[in-house]
Structures are given as C-alpha cells and as structure tokens.
Amino acid sequence: MITVASPFLLLQIEPLTGAWSVVSAAGDSTALREARIGVGFRAGRNRSRVEARGYRAERAASVRKDRLHGRFRVLSIDAEAGHGLAVRAEWRVSFEKPFLLWRVVLNNRTAAAQTVDWIDLCRAGRRFGLAGGVGLPIPPAERAMFVNGWQSWSFAGGRRSRDRQPGPMLGPYNLPMHIGTGLHSSGRPGHFVSDMFTSIGKPSGKDEFVAGFLAQREQFGAVETWLGDGELSLRMRADCDGVRLDSGGTLATDWAYLALGPGASAMEYFDAAARENCARAGRAAPEGWCSWYYYHTAISQADLEKNTDAARALHAKLPLRMIQLDDGYAADVGDWFERGPKFPSAMKDISARIRKAGFTPGVWISPFIVRPGSRMQREHREWLAGGVQGIMSNVKITWLRDTLTLDVTRPEVAEYLRLLIRTVVREWKFPFLKLDYLYLPAARSVRFFDPTITRAQALRRTLEIIREEAGEKTYLLGCGCPLGSGIGIFDAMRIGPDVDPVWKPHVFRRTWAARGDPTVPAAWNAVRNMLSRAPLHRRWWWNDPDCLLARDAETDLTADERRTLAAAIALSGGMVMLSDDLSALSPESVRLAQILLPPLYRAAELPAWRGEAPPRVAILPMRGPQGAWWVVGLFNWADRPRKDSINLREWIHSKSEVVALSFWDGRLMESSGGILDTPEIPAHASILLAVRTRGNGVQYIGSDLHFSQGAEVAEWKPARNGLRAVLRLGREAEGAVWIALPAKPVRSTIEGESIQPERISDDVWKVPVRFSKQGILEIRWSRK
Ligand code: 9PG
C-alpha cells in the first residue's frame, strides 16, 4: 500500500489494482473508497478502455511548495495501462487545507496514432460495476447536491435525492447549447451530472464532499453521481472528444480537486480554481444600460441616441456609467464589419457620441457565430466548423435553420479574430465588450480542422487570443460561455439565462410549449441562476446576473415580479444593468431601478445554496457607522401566496429579539421567541428586510431609499438631546428613514429644511427626507 498523509487527509493507493482511497484524518466517516483511473480510446476502429493498475511508486512523496496552492505532499506514479498507452497519475495532497489535487498524463508509446475519447480521473461504486464509492454521514433522503450546467445560460442550482436532472427540454433548438460533457443522466431521481464541479451535503450547512476540476483548459470535465444510493457511485470524467494522440505524444488532464471531511469547502474550491486560472475578479463592472431587452434586433441608431440622451437626463436620479449597444447593428450575423441600414454612422462615431454624453461605450459582439446566407458563410466556407458525418455542425437552431460556427483551430480564423477584436477596441474605440455565444466552437457536435485539439483547448486558446488583442484595460464580459473556459479571461461573466418581460419559460408567450425549460429566456430562469451562482461573484469574475426590466408597460411581469427581480439582482452583488426604453420610464420604474444604486458589490450568503433552486433566503450581513444589521431577502417562488418565518438562531446567529423593517411596504415587524413570522407573501413576490437587534435609545431602523436600508448612512452622531446623521447615496433620493428615538422629536431638519416625523410605534418615527447626493439630517428631542 502506498500512503500519503497530511494533517487533514489520508490517500491510500493499492499498487496492484490501482484502487485508491481518500479518508479524513479526523476520522470523519466521509470517504472516497476504491476509486479507479481509466482511459477510453480507439485504436483503429476498436473501442477499448484500460484501467490504470500495476503502479510503481516513482518518487518518495516529498513536501513541495506550489506557487498557487501552497504546500503539498507530492506523489507521481506510473501505471501499466496496456495497449501501449502509458498512464502517469500525479497526486498533490495539501498540507494546509483538507483537499487534494490529481491529474493524469497519457503517453502513446505505440507506433500508431490513437484516438482518445475520455479519461476518468475517478470511477467508483456499484453503478459502474465496481466496489467502493463515496461514504457520507447523511441519510440519502437528507442529501443535497449542487448541479452546475456547462455555460452561462445552463441550469445551475441545488437538488435533492428525489429530484431529477434539470436540462434543456426543446430538443435541437437548445440541446447543443447546454451539453458540455459526454456523461448523461438517465433522468431518474437522484442521478445527476454536474459540469466542472459539485458540492454534496445537507440542504444547508457545511459541505461534506466537494469534487471538481480546477480548470477547463485541457478538457471539459464533469462529475456524475447517484445521490440517493447509500454509498455514492462517483465518476469524474475529462472529455477528450476523440482527439488524435500521435505516436510519442502526450495528453494531460486539468487538475482535479477533491475535499472531504471537516473543513471541506466549496468556497475554498472556487478560490482554488480562481488561483489556478489567475481570475480577474477585481474590477467592478460599470452600472449601465443595454439595448437588448427592449429593442432586440430592432434597435436603430436613433433609438440608441434617444436612450443615451435619456440616460443623461436621468443621471442625477439614476447615475449610470455605461451605454451598451447589443445585437442588431450588424448587416448580418457574422458580418461584423458591415452595419445594417439602421446604423448610418460609423461605429467609431457611434462610440464617440456615447462618450461625449458622459458614458462608457459598450458593444456586443458574437465573434464565432455565422448565419447561413451571410457574407461570411458565402465567402469563407472553409472557415466554418464541420460536424458529425461531414454535415455542417448544428450548434443551435435559430431562424429555423442550423446556426454555424467558425472553426477556431484554423490559423486564418485566429488571424481574423485578432483583426475583429483589434478593430472593435482600437478603431471603433469601445472599452467595454460583451462577447456572446462563446460556447459555439466548443459544442459537442463540432469537428475541427485540427483533430489533435480538444474543444476545451480550442476555446481557451481562442479566448486567450481575444484577451491579448483586446489588451489588459478593455473590460470583457463573457456570455453564453462555458464557465471554466472564462476564468482569468473575463472581467465579468453572465451566469444565467436571459431575463425576459415574462416570468415563466415560454415559447411565443405559450408557457406549455416551453415545457418548463430551465434555460430559455424567462425572468424566473434568470433569477434562479443569479442566486444559485452568486458564490462565484468576485471569486471567478464579476457576476453579470443580467438586466433589470423596470418598465411597468409592455411587460407581462407583475409589480411583485419586478421587485423580486430587482431584489435578486441587488442581493447577487453583481452588475446592475437596465434594459428598458429609458425615455419612457414611469417615476415608479425609475424608483425601482434607483434603489439598486449605488450597488454594494457583495453577494449575499445563501444558507440553502445547495438544497434548493432558487434559494428561498439570501442574507447580507451589513455594518455601518450606525451599527450592524442584516439585509434578508425572503422569496416566494411558488405560484400561490405563502407565509414564511425566519429562525434567527439558525439564519443570522442572533440570540436577541430583533426589529425588522420590510422594504417594499414599510411594515415594522418584531421577532418573538427567536422567530420572525412574515405576513402572506404573494406568488413570485419577495420580502426585503432590514433586521436589527433591538437596542434602547436612538437606533436606525431602516429606510425606503436604498435596498440595504442602511448603506445610505455615512455618518451617525447620536447625542443626549439630538441626532446628527449624514445620508449619502451620490444621487437624488426622496423617501423616508425609520429611526427609534428616546423621546418625541421637537425639531427635525434635512439640509436645514424643516420636516415632520410621523410616529409609527412607541418609539419608532418615520422621518421624510429628500436630498441630492447627500443630506444632513438633524433631529432634536427634549428629555423630561
Ligand atoms: C443577443 C442576445 C443578448 C443576450 C444574450 C444572447 O437560443 N437561446 O437560448 C438564446 C439564449 C440567449 C440569447 C440568445 C439565444 O441571448 O444572452 O443578452 O445579447 O444574445 O442576440
């Protein structure tokens, strides 16, 4: 037995059979037992698979320091895999945290080329006809798992063992967009395939078992399991796409990651993947406006200018910083150098006008997509990727026809992409690019000109070229992008399906026709992912939860649904973008958008992140000059009204009773026995609370000025007979603040102007305020 021990984990490898196990050094019962490494390949026409066995320990494990992930005990061993394929497995057991990394390096020792289909970095359990698997200290019915979809628009969220794999429902229309791996769920309850990573545990609370890939630079990797089995069967597969491995050639996987036992943490996995890919998570995305969700492809230069001017007129109320032109300006899909008739001015003049109005110009571009009939398709047929059986690859059906993609493994295509990005950034002068449909060249149906490159390698190399050409300063937003491929490339990333002015998934407004598809444009689909993937925010990039649709006309969203969308965007901490006709927004709609500004840029905590999609509760712990509080979002995702309650001990770890102000309706609530009961929440509605432990004397209770109900307090100076506070939002604000006072106020002013507080309860007063950028609030009372 080969053994590697760290203070956290014990890795044991049985040399003869190649079976390896990981147990927690703490003696915890979570363990992976008797896992195997295997390779699926073809020599000529024969499909074969080999298992790595007959290990020879090559080097005694020594402790080494890794630039990115700290100190490890390292073990590298060669196995006889048979058929002339040499398999080397490399393990790194962390000495600092309870995780280990491993990867496989394959070497073709035969004289002939081989075709590699997949590498299983781990396979264990009875579902694969093997012994072992993952042992968990949680009964099957109480388990939950995070299921992650392949790209931006794919489903992501918590599942329970009785649930089924969520996936695209519309066949050829959307299947090619979301299937990133060769592993398939049977669709039976508890049988899940999660792209790149998963976390398993109880629906809320700590992670018991975290498994994933640190990167998707070499292959797209996925994790498969049956959550309801006593001992879980587990497979972690790197898809090799049938690449050709020439004689003498090597093929390495990305590093796989596994954490179990006390201290195992999905957040630590996200951080590790961020380190591995040198994530660019530090630059805030500018708040802005996007043309897509009101104008779609009907956008004209006149509409763009009208909205730019409207954004400028609204600026004191709604301080947006960016105007982003989306799809619709190009002559055809794929012909980005030519404008359509609705855009008479040159792109550089279009961006100059936006800049002159005081905004950062942003533009959408979909560098790989080619529509049949476009000039690109007619003049550069040889640049297009092939598909299965020699037919052009179908990477999605749009306009009732197959959509085509460029073959990014062709050198001429890489040159063209460089020219395209260079033109948009340097000649058109757009410092913000939304790059869309990025999964296209990596769709499973695509066959490349270069048969030695995996889909993941092709996409990653191309995205690196795009970043290089765009330069470090250009802000790049990825969209429709396989997640792992984008880490370290993009400053921001769309993490969910498109929003839509309709709540439920639909096809031409027919809900039944969408069959509940979790990926098509729908406010509900967008909201689910923006919460489920909130933990990625500022770890892998800046999350783009997609736009707020604030309009109250030309929308099917109810006022409750619009507020829920706003609350979820705010609590996600990610980009704040509007996508309405800004010149036609009602004062109420402007107000709904206003309460998100300025953004707090922090993602809320999700106690049941792993257990439900979307999570029903989001909590943002807050601190300011006036003390500490929690912003709590409570969502009713059901189609019927429902009451809810907050257990303070469990959720916000407060032992005292609290006072809570409900943002949308200004209702004041108090907990009793540690429980805060809500009134009935209408279908698809949300309650946004500011929760504070009750003190005596002067206390800030909340406001209707900003969703946080407290971030507006810049200074807070209570004294014996009065209070002086500075409220600051950097924009116009009009509404009220709720303050507990020790006595009846005798004189109150905002910016020196007299105001009249209204008594709400024994000691809570609602104080009307109004200011631009900031306001000084003074309240005096007389103590008897
Ligand atoms: C412009 C749009 C917007 C939008 C992007 C992307 O077929 N589909 O499922 C599908 C999903 C999203 C989508 C288009 C098609 O929208 O997310 O913000 O930029 O492209 O065409």
Side-chain angles (χ1 to χ4, degrees), residues 422-717:
R422 197 155 59 227
T423 304
V424 176
V425 172
R426 308 218 195 127
E427 198 182 309
W428 298 358
K429 294 202 161 49
F430 283 95
F432 182 105
L433 269 57
K434 171 177 173 185
L435 297 168
D436 201 358
Y437 283 97
L438 299 178
Y439 76 91
L440 286 180
R444 289 196 86 236
S445 54
V446 168
R447 294 297 172 268
F448 292 136
F449 162 72
D450 184 340
T452 67
I453 297 182
T454 66
R455 294 178 293 133
Q457 286 168 341
L459 182 60
R460 180 71 184 192
R461 288 171 196 183
T462 306
L463 295 179
E464 279 168 5
I465 286 175
I466 286 177
R467 166 53 81 183
E468 189 184 307
E469 213 50 68
E472 282 298 306
K473 283 200 199 131
T474 303
Y475 201 96
L476 296 182
L477 163 64
C479 188
C481 186
L483 295 194
S485 309
I487 312 171
I489 305 280
F490 293 103
D491 301 288
M493 178 67 87
R494 252 289 279 293
I495 41 79
D498 287 19
V499 298
D500 204 54
V502 182
W503 184 254
K504 292 254 170 117
H506 64 99
V507 174
F508 301 116
R509 313 241 150 168
R510 287 182 184 82
T511 311
W512 59 265
R515 305 173 64 206
D517 185 285
T519 69
V520 297
W524 151 258
N525 282 343
V527 157
R528 179 201 61 235
N529 269 44
M530 72 179 76
L531 290 174
S532 295
R533 283 181 173 158
L536 301 180
H537 179 50
R538 294 177 76 175
R539 287 195 162 94
W540 286 4
W541 43 58
W542 208 268
N543 270 4
D544 170 12
D546 211 11
C547 303
L548 171 66
L549 306 182
R551 56 185 178 264
D552 44 27
E554 299 177 81
T555 180
D556 287 2
L557 297 176
T558 65
D560 280 331
E561 290 164 346
R562 295 195 295 272
R563 286 171 166 182
T564 294
L565 178 60
I569 292 172
L571 289 164
S572 85
M575 284 179 78
V576 173
M577 295 284 285
L578 301 188
S579 198
D580 300 300
D581 174 356
L582 291 181
S583 68
L585 281 185
S586 69
E588 298 76 57
S589 297
V590 172
R591 215 180 136 70
L592 181 66
Q594 236 184 354
I595 62 124
L596 304 190
L597 300 178
L600 296 182
Y601 297 144
R602 276 165 54 218
E605 291 163 15
L606 305 163
W609 169 75
R610 198 189 307 105
E612 51 193 27
R616 178 177 116 255
V617 187
I619 299 168
L620 199 55
M622 298 289 299
R623 185 165 281 284
Q626 77 277 37
W629 76 103
W630 296 269
V631 178
V632 177
L634 281 176
F635 298 91
N636 177 14
W637 305 123
D639 297 333
R640 278 168 270 104
R642 189 175 53 78
K643 291 187 178 173
D644 205 339
S645 71
I646 306 179
N647 184 335
L648 302 173
R649 304 255 151 84
E650 215 179 289
W651 289 1
I652 62 175
H653 311 292
S654 166
K655 293 206 175 74
S656 345
E657 298 293 349
V658 298
V659 56
L661 187 64
S662 164
F663 185 76
W664 303 123
D665 58 5
R667 186 196 288 247
L668 203 57
M669 298 172 349
E670 281 181 35
S671 67
S672 134
I675 304 287
L676 194 64
D677 287 315
T678 74
E680 203 161 69
I681 314 175
H684 313 160
S686 57
I687 292 191
L688 206 45
L689 297 173
V691 176
R692 292 170 161 95
T693 53
R694 197 66 174 88
N696 356 334
V698 192
Q699 189 178 8
Y700 199 77
I701 301 296
S703 81
D704 62 5
L705 304 175
H706 185 259
F707 82 94
S708 68
Q709 303 197 62
E712 64 277 9
V713 180
E715 284 174 38
W716 183 254
K717 302 237 165 69

Side-chain angles (χ1 to χ4, degrees), residues 82-226:
H83 298 267
L85 275 185
V87 177
R88 163 182 288 203
E90 299 175 7
W91 275 277
R92 299 168 160 206
V93 184
S94 170
F95 246 64
E96 295 172 9
K97 296 197 174 113
F99 73 86
L100 60 83
L101 306 177
W102 77 107
R103 69 167 186 169
V104 170
V105 183
L106 203 61
N107 178 230
N108 180 4
R109 300 241 175 100
T110 68
Q114 312 247 23
T115 304
V116 187
D117 289 321
W118 44 260
I119 298 176
D120 280 349
L121 286 111
C122 167
R123 186 164 52 196
R126 65 179 178 86
R127 299 280 181 172
F128 305 112
L130 295 168
V134 181
L136 287 172
I138 309 167
E142 290 168 34
R143 290 179 194 156
M145 151 172 187
F146 191 85
V147 174
N148 183 50
W150 185 42
Q151 50 110 333
S152 305
W153 307 324
S154 310
F155 172 92
R159 299 273 94 175
R160 308 288 300 269
S161 10
R162 58 169 189 271
D163 296 334
R164 291 169 202 272
Q165 173 89 16
M169 301 294 288
L170 303 177
Y173 168 76
N174 64 0
L175 263 172
M177 291 196 280
H178 302 287
I179 306 303
T181 164
L183 299 179
H184 295 291
S185 162
S186 60
R188 297 226 178 83
H191 183 197
F192 298 117
V193 172
S194 183
D195 280 83
M196 197 166 170
F197 67 90
T198 191
S199 152
I200 296 174
K202 290 194 173 168
S204 57
K206 70 188 273 301
D207 304 274
E208 283 297 334
F209 184 85
V210 181
F213 292 81
L214 280 192
Q216 295 189 318
R217 285 194 291 246
E218 307 301 334
Q219 297 92 17
F220 290 112
V223 187
E224 176 186 13
T225 196
W226 283 260

Side-chain angles (χ1 to χ4, degrees), residues 738-759:
W738 280 250
I739 302 179
L741 298 174
K744 185 176 188 304
V746 291
R747 178 174 158 71
S748 309
T749 58
I750 180 89
E751 287 294 280
E753 232 176 89
S754 176
I755 47 180
Q756 205 48 60
E758 173 195 346
R759 186 172 216 149

